[in-house]
Amino acid sequence: MSKCFRASGLLAAFFAATLASPARAETAPDPWPGLVTDIFQGRAMAERDGVIALEAPVRAEDAAIVPMTLRFPEPARVKTATLVIDQNPMPMAAAFTVGEKAGVSFISTRVRVNSYTNVHAVAETRDGKLHSEVKFVKAAGGCSAPAVKDQDEANANLGKMKYREFRSAEAGRREAQIMIRHPNNSGLQMDQMTHLYIPAHYIDRVEVRQGDELVFSMEGGISLSEDPNFRFTYAPNGAKTMSVVAHDNKGNEFKAEWPVSDAS
């Protein structure tokens, strides 16, 4: 899979369009064919065949915090799941690799949406085939929206994490949420005091494990919202701990570990 979010030239090419009107976004050329080439090497893709489902709002209440959920009706089949926000400056928001025995049936997160856009969810199954789902989302300005938190406060709490557990509606699974304190600056946000652009500073890798076994890993970019969080289900394997290792694009590493309950 191509890590297109690393391409700084792509960010520069879209920089001038960050304040584009919704109407302009709707009439712009469809970027999806090019993204299929860039991210998925132009591979064939089955559309809307039920392997992956995408939940996204038709109209976002806040373009900087748009909830997205990837669902896998047959979790054992899914190897990777990629969330692509077609019109964003860096379209690949997150690419998840799912542990083979993890039993992950959904992953939810929050993203920035820069203009009216199609959002694609693409699953690669363990037989190497690609499957996609698409939703149209009405939102604008999410990538350049001012940070919610003061930058000094954000830096003081950089990398702190919280873990929550929930009762799962699915038999034999648990539901959990991991929250990471991080400004996830997009590089397109302006400091309201200096009127200078805040340098891009974002979580680019996350790895979640129960005991020694992978639940999921993620590669991401500037499209993830401030304070990234992930809510997901998993199949318990008897391990007593859940652990996270996260990295950001400035080379920082953050680690945390928590005990897990015995209840399913």
Side-chain angles (χ1 to χ4, degrees):
M1 179 179 294
S2 171
K3 300 173 185 176
C4 69
F5 58 83
R6 290 181 176 175
S8 58
L10 184 60
L11 179 58
F14 277 84
F15 190 86
T18 58
L19 299 180
S21 68
R24 178 178 172 182
E26 286 186 306
T27 58
D30 183 6
W32 180 238
L35 295 174
V36 172
T37 298
D38 292 343
I39 302 174
F40 305 102
Q41 296 79 53
R43 294 161 59 193
M45 198 175 294
E47 299 178 0
R48 297 183 177 92
D49 63 354
V51 172
I52 186 169
L54 172 62
E55 295 177 5
V58 174
R59 184 180 296 275
E61 293 183 8
D62 185 337
I65 313 173
V66 183
M68 300 276 177
T69 299
L70 305 174
R71 292 194 181 274
F72 319 122
E74 299 178 75
R77 294 184 63 189
V78 176
K79 179 181 178 182
T80 66
T82 305
L83 183 64
V84 181
I85 305 171
D86 294 15
Q87 297 286 353
N88 268 18
M90 289 185 180
M92 195 178 81
F96 298 94
T97 298
V98 183
E100 188 170 359
K101 300 178 181 178
V104 175
S105 61
F106 80 84
I107 301 175
S108 294
T109 191
R110 303 178 306 186
V111 298
R112 298 178 169 115
V113 175
N114 206 50
S115 59
Y116 285 26
T117 184
N118 279 330
V119 178
H120 284 84
V122 179
E124 180 177 2
T125 46
R126 298 195 183 275
D127 59 6
K129 297 180 180 179
L130 297 180
H131 311 260
S132 70
E133 174 68 285
V134 61
K135 293 289 177 67
F136 188 76
V137 176
K138 295 180 179 181
C143 292
S144 56
V148 175
K149 295 182 177 62
D150 176 83
Q151 290 297 301
D152 291 336
E153 178 191 354
N155 289 328
N157 292 296
L158 193 71
K160 292 182 179 179
M161 301 189 210
K162 290 184 179 180
Y163 175 76
R164 300 173 64 194
E165 293 183 344
F166 308 89
R167 183 179 298 277
S168 176
E170 302 177 52
R173 285 189 172 82
R174 293 176 181 163
E175 189 170 326
Q177 183 179 30
I178 291 166
M179 296 159 279
I180 306 172
R181 296 290 298 275
H182 200 284
N184 242 55
N185 294 320
S186 67
L188 305 175
Q189 299 156 294
M190 184 178 289
D191 186 301
Q192 300 303 299
M193 298 296 292
T194 66
H195 297 288
L196 298 174
Y197 285 100
I198 302 168
H201 186 197
Y202 55 88
I203 293 290
D204 59 6
R205 286 182 290 148
V206 176
E207 187 176 275
V208 180
R209 291 182 176 273
Q210 54 167 330
D212 294 329
E213 288 190 4
L214 179 69
V215 179
F216 68 85
S217 62
M218 184 223 66
E219 296 184 41
I222 66 170
S223 293
L224 287 178
S225 297
E226 182 177 353
D227 294 338
N229 82 67
F230 308 94
R231 187 160 175 165
F232 56 95
T233 54
Y234 69 98
N237 63 1
K240 301 299 183 182
T241 60
M242 184 73 72
S243 63
V244 176
V245 178
H247 301 81
D248 69 21
N249 68 316
K250 292 189 176 182
N252 297 308
E253 180 178 85
F254 316 104
K255 296 182 178 181
E257 183 176 275
W258 308 272
V260 298
S261 67
D262 293 328
S264 296

